[in-house]
Amino acid sequence: KKIRKSGSKKNVYTYTAKASVPDYIFYENGKMRIAVNYIDQDTYEQTLYFENAFTVKARYNHGRKIREIFYSGITELKRTEFE
């Protein structure tokens, strides 16, 4: 019977002058999987990184999602604007 190694996970928080809450990066097995970067106190961008260079970027303002963009590499696949 093989024992499966759970892998490594790491959270990195960075405080900036842009907001009172920190920017955040999550790594899994040495690969960046989630990044949250604050533009100002009320606006941030969340990027999710998947295998095969697939990326989803979402922008939030006052806790509401206002935009979501799907990428394959640098090619934009789909963009959705929310009201």
Side-chain angles (χ1 to χ4, degrees):
K1 190 174 185 180
K2 288 186 178 182
I3 297 175
R4 195 168 208 195
K5 188 176 177 184
S6 64
S8 65
K9 296 179 181 180
K10 180 180 176 183
N11 296 303
V12 177
Y13 298 92
T14 306
Y15 285 90
T16 68
K18 296 177 184 179
S20 62
V21 290
D23 289 349
Y24 167 73
I25 300 175
F26 171 74
Y27 294 92
E28 185 175 51
N29 298 324
K31 294 181 180 180
M32 189 183 331
R33 295 296 184 191
I34 302 170
V36 176
N37 295 300
Y38 279 82
I39 290 113
D40 59 36
Q41 185 64 30
D42 298 317
T43 309
Y44 66 92
E45 186 170 88
Q46 178 186 59
T47 307
L48 306 174
Y49 299 93
F50 299 93
E51 298 297 324
N52 301 319
F54 186 75
T55 307
V56 179
K57 285 188 176 187
R59 182 169 286 212
Y60 293 82
N61 191 14
H62 297 284
R64 292 184 51 218
K65 187 186 297 187
I66 59 172
R67 180 180 311 123
E68 187 172 65
I69 307 170
F70 293 82
Y71 294 93
S72 179
I74 61 170
T75 304
E76 185 176 315
L77 301 175
K78 180 181 176 185
R79 176 183 294 250
T80 304
E81 302 285 337
F82 300 94
E83 291 183 18

